[in-house]
Amino acid sequence: MGRRKLLTLATFNVNGIGTRLGHLLAWLEREQPDVVALQELKATDEAFPVDALEAAGYGALWHGQRSWNGVALLGRGVVPQESRRGLPGEPADRQSRYLEAAVHGILVGALYLPNGNPQPGPKFDYKLRWMRRLARHAAGLVDLPHPVVLMGDFNVIPTDGDVYDAKAWRKDALIQPEVRAAYEDLLAQGWTDALHAHCGDAAPYTFWDYFRQHAERDRGLRIDHLLLNRALAPRLVEAGVDRWVRLQQKASDHAPTWIRIAAATPAKRARKQARAAATPDKPGAPARTARRNPSA
DNA sequence: ATGTCATCAACTTGATGA
């Protein structure tokens, strides 16, 4: 049997695409991920650096917002094929937090879940509502025959093993029992938390705040997650966090969090095509016409 | 309880979000 081809999928909260463009480009150059979800662009659609990313070999799809939020999807050598922007269920919600597209044969839901602080309060209520909307939408994706990943900054510390000091964070929205329960309910649909599945209790942190040299001392949180649906989970090969990005000067407070998955085997592709032919009206099937980026 | 960093809207500083 020959060496299997791998795909790298990563999520990175850049905390401002304008301030962090240099960090992002250096990381893309070094790690060459195939699919990337970005959060906290903090930039309008007009300010998104599409030219610099294209020059780096990445096609992009983005949903910006002035000052806050903002999400994007990058495809190495391809432009992601959009299937949805924004979660259903709250039409008045104008915050740019969800973008979904087909990239390299995977349906990717890229998300920036509300932080929810201070808690309790209206922002925490919004977070819980947003999690319910996400769960409702995710329920329609978990059993698709097609590979699906939900990845991004979930702003959820799943267990006390995912924080350097649970007591120090006990009043924070990221650790509240209601938030953890909502995350557990989502996993119970059949999603696999890829870093936990691969690393167990030794799963690395993905975020370190700017206080007291927490990054250098590895006093962090695991809040950036990649959830795999039933079709994709068996293909998980490796998972990790590029902590070196966080240790640079003027870094984002998050580090890129990634998985490697095996490319679909010819046999699996054939079965998948047979299933697709049997159910032609299933939602979420990716466009097979992703445009090649000429610069790649 | 504190700590840091970036942005915005007012104008060198303070409120806000994370």
Side-chain angles (χ1 to χ4, degrees):
Chain A
M1 189 175 106
R3 196 176 184 81
R4 286 187 301 177
K5 189 182 182 303
L6 300 180
L7 276 179
T8 302
L9 279 53
T11 176
F12 183 20
N13 179 324
V14 291
N15 192 10
I17 188 98
T19 350
R20 234 65 71 178
L21 183 59
H23 291 83
L24 174 61
L25 293 173
W27 169 70
L28 291 173
E29 168 74 19
R30 178 157 155 186
E31 307 292 349
Q32 304 273 308
D34 299 289
V35 181
V36 180
L38 301 176
Q39 304 89 38
E40 284 205 85
L41 302 179
K42 297 183 173 178
T44 60
D45 282 340
E46 295 72 27
F48 186 82
V50 56
D51 293 340
L53 288 164
E54 195 163 302
Y58 285 85
L61 187 69
W62 61 95
H63 190 196
Q65 185 180 329
R66 179 183 160 83
S67 304
W68 313 115
N69 310 320
V71 288
L73 271 167
L74 310 182
R76 190 170 174 226
V78 296
V79 177
Q81 298 297 295
E82 179 172 339
S83 56
R84 154 168 291 283
R85 66 178 54 203
L87 282 177
E90 198 168 320
D93 184 4
R94 299 259 67 88
Q95 302 191 27
S96 299
R97 296 183 175 275
Y98 189 84
L99 195 55
E100 190 178 282
V103 203
H104 289 295
I106 315 282
L107 185 66
V108 184
L111 62 99
Y112 176 47
L113 208 146
N115 174 295
N117 281 305
Q119 157 302 121
K123 293 188 174 186
F124 190 68
D125 297 341
Y126 173 65
K127 177 177 195 164
L128 294 176
R129 285 203 310 278
W130 206 94
M131 291 187 85
R132 283 194 288 272
R133 289 164 63 197
L134 176 63
R136 212 169 302 137
H137 183 59
L141 302 175
V142 69
D143 287 319
L144 288 181
H146 201 83
V148 184
V149 60
L150 296 174
M151 62 173 166
D153 178 356
F154 280 69
N155 273 313
V156 177
I157 302 168
T159 72
D160 284 356
D162 298 308
V163 50
Y164 66 92
D165 180 357
K167 267 185 9 197
W169 286 78
R170 70 188 185 284
K171 292 181 178 167
D172 197 278
L174 278 59
I175 204 171
Q176 293 312 304
E178 306 96 300
V179 167
R180 284 183 162 175
Y183 185 74
E184 281 301 316
D185 287 348
L186 182 62
L187 293 183
Q189 292 179 355
W191 296 94
T192 296
D193 178 334
L195 261 81
H196 183 257
H198 189 261
C199 309
D201 293 339
Y205 300 135
T206 67
F207 165 94
W208 303 259
D209 67 29
Y210 289 118
F211 309 136
R212 303 182 176 193
Q213 297 190 292
H214 278 167
E216 291 79 359
R217 296 158 60 206
D218 198 21
R219 292 170 73 77
L221 317 176
R222 191 173 73 91
I223 55 175
D224 299 272
H225 306 303
L226 297 99
L227 307 190
L228 316 182
N229 80 340
R230 295 187 209 274
L232 184 56
R235 288 166 53 185
L236 178 64
V237 172
E238 197 184 350
V241 174
D242 289 330
R243 183 162 167 239
W244 66 269
V245 176
R246 177 64 181 88
L247 296 173
Q248 294 177 301
Q249 290 299 309
K250 297 292 220 173
S252 164
D253 38 11
H254 296 250
T257 304
W258 52 265
I259 60 170
R260 279 194 244 288
I261 59 166
T265 63
K268 276 185 180 161
R269 261 200 295 275
R271 280 201 298 276
K272 186 176 72 180
Q273 276 159 13
R275 275 194 298 264
T279 56
D281 54 351
K282 275 274 184 189
R288 301 194 59 83
T289 53
R291 180 166 72 81
R292 273 262 152 210
N293 185 329
S295 66

